[in-house]
Amino acid sequence: MRGIEAIFGGVLALVVLAAAIFMFSGGGWGGGTRPPPSGPIVTKPSPPADASGRDVLCQCYNQARDLAGSSVDVLSSQYRTGFESCRAVAGVNGGEAWTAGWNATLSARPFQASCDAWLRSEGL
């Protein structure tokens, strides 16, 4: 009976070791590569933007407006990727621009909402 227990114990130890290696290696069998994110990704403009970052904020605002008009849900990966990208590039104001652009499309008066109007209301 001890021989069988030793065999199964050894197999169990190998399974646990393999699971630990799998977890620490990134959890992927295909070399740990992930597909690129889907959705809009905001990049810093090549020419320097004005001091307030108006170009970047308006890019975030306008991309969120376009995405909200394409019947994408707020819980989608496209929304999250765009928001995180804007937040990474332009800080808190980038995330707020993304949210304001999204809400502008879903508001009762989307024809009155623009990036310039939002920037004025925020004092940016």
Side-chain angles (χ1 to χ4, degrees), residues 2-122:
R2 286 186 178 248
I4 293 174
E5 290 173 355
I7 291 172
F8 282 119
V11 169
L12 180 61
L14 288 175
V15 169
V16 169
L17 180 65
I21 291 171
F22 177 76
M23 294 300 291
F24 287 116
S25 69
W29 295 112
T33 59
R34 293 184 180 176
S38 61
I41 297 177
V42 177
T43 58
K44 290 188 178 181
S46 51
D50 59 356
S52 65
R54 182 181 184 93
D55 294 340
V56 174
L57 295 178
C58 283
Q59 183 181 2
C60 290
Y61 184 93
N62 292 331
Q63 284 186 350
R65 280 195 69 174
D66 294 342
L67 186 64
S70 67
S71 70
V72 172
D73 188 35
V74 73
L75 299 175
S76 69
S77 63
Q78 292 95 341
Y79 179 90
R80 186 179 66 246
T81 301
F83 177 82
E84 290 173 356
S85 176
C86 285
R87 185 84 189 250
V89 171
V92 174
N93 288 339
E96 290 177 3
W98 179 269
T99 303
W102 179 271
N103 291 336
T105 299
L106 303 178
S107 71
R109 300 179 196 178
F111 56 89
Q112 293 179 344
S114 69
C115 181
D116 291 330
W118 175 77
L119 287 171
R120 282 190 302 272
S121 72
E122 294 294 310

